[in-house]
Amino acid sequence: MSTVKLLHQPVIDKCKKNDAKAQMQLYKLYADAMFGVAKRYVKDHFIAEDVMQDAFIKAFKNMKNYKGEVAFGAWLKKIVIHQSIDELKKKKSEIVAINHEVQDLTEEDTSWQVTEKTSVNEVIHCIHQLKEKYRVVLSLYLLEGYDHKEISEILGITEVTSRTHLLRGKKIVKENLKSIRYAEGY
């Protein structure tokens, strides 16, 4: 982390002074990665681009808040994730509390094992096929490393709902992966 931080620190310092060239340089350094993050949440390519660009604008406006406690990319990624979630909320996403439906889920399946023939791209593809409420929770949990408490705060849902969406999404992904294996004759 310190190598990356030191490598980009002069550019970051210039961005804090509203240097347009430095902002463009930082944008070029991080745009592809941040677009990938946005795309995990908002499926539409063009909306993901808008989300990413809005996140950069927000980051540049708030550069004074970047204290270097984490790598710049991690700080920016958090902004992109929140911007993506805000975009989903604008669409009045179907992320709703379903506490009463959880009663039939008596045991949490903690196994994430898939066959050796399953690629990361196949898993990500299956996640992208999920309903938004499952896809967002799985992405935040598996790909970004948030726990259920953090997910509940970000999405404005209960921790129980977060766990339920995770379990149901995982179950669907596993079923879809089995279907792919079956179709391929494995």
Side-chain angles (χ1 to χ4, degrees):
M1 182 176 96
S2 60
T3 308
V4 173
K5 192 168 108 179
L6 293 175
L7 180 66
H8 298 141
Q9 195 61 47
V11 177
I12 292 167
D13 291 340
K14 288 179 183 177
C15 287
K16 287 182 177 184
K17 296 176 184 172
N18 291 323
D19 182 312
K21 282 186 179 181
Q23 289 174 340
M24 183 54 78
Q25 188 178 358
L26 208 58
Y27 179 85
K28 287 179 180 177
L29 285 168
Y30 289 96
D32 289 342
M34 295 306 122
F35 173 76
V37 171
K39 190 85 167 75
R40 281 189 285 227
Y41 296 92
V42 293
K43 286 184 172 184
D44 183 273
H45 180 88
F46 297 108
I47 294 174
E49 278 183 0
D50 289 345
V51 164
M52 179 204 51
Q53 290 173 358
D54 289 345
F56 270 100
I57 290 168
K58 190 177 279 186
F60 292 144
K61 284 182 180 176
N62 293 292
M63 285 298 281
K64 63 187 174 298
N65 295 331
Y66 176 66
K67 306 292 185 214
E69 296 163 350
V70 297
F72 179 77
W75 182 76
L76 182 59
K77 182 178 181 182
K78 190 170 185 175
I79 293 170
V80 172
I81 291 169
H82 284 280
Q83 194 71 28
S84 299
I85 300 300
D86 289 347
E87 180 63 32
L88 294 174
K89 286 179 180 177
K90 277 190 224 171
K91 290 181 7 182
K92 298 190 191 298
S93 176
E94 291 183 358
I95 301 175
V96 294
I98 51 172
N99 293 337
H100 61 281
E101 294 180 29
V102 178
Q103 294 170 355
D104 62 332
L105 298 173
T106 55
E107 188 176 301
E108 186 168 330
D109 177 10
T110 57
S111 168
W112 288 96
Q113 293 181 347
V114 293
T115 67
E116 290 178 17
K117 293 178 172 76
T118 304
S119 72
V120 171
N121 287 337
E122 287 174 319
V123 174
I124 290 173
H125 175 75
C126 286
I127 289 173
H128 280 265
Q129 302 308 308
L130 294 172
K131 285 183 178 179
E132 192 171 276
K133 62 185 177 182
Y134 302 139
R135 179 174 42 82
V136 171
V137 171
L138 252 73
S139 294
L140 287 170
Y141 186 86
L142 291 177
L143 305 175
E144 310 303 340
Y146 286 105
D147 63 26
H148 292 294
K149 182 175 180 7
E150 294 167 320
I151 293 169
S152 72
E153 290 170 3
I154 290 169
L155 298 179
I157 60 176
T158 66
E159 288 183 48
V160 173
T161 301
S162 175
R163 283 188 178 82
T164 302
H165 288 338
L166 180 71
L167 290 173
R168 290 184 179 168
K170 183 173 95 171
K171 181 180 176 188
I172 294 166
V173 167
K174 282 185 167 186
E175 288 169 1
N176 290 344
L177 288 171
K178 284 180 188 175
S179 297
I180 291 170
R181 291 290 148 243
Y182 181 76
E184 292 175 351
Y186 292 113

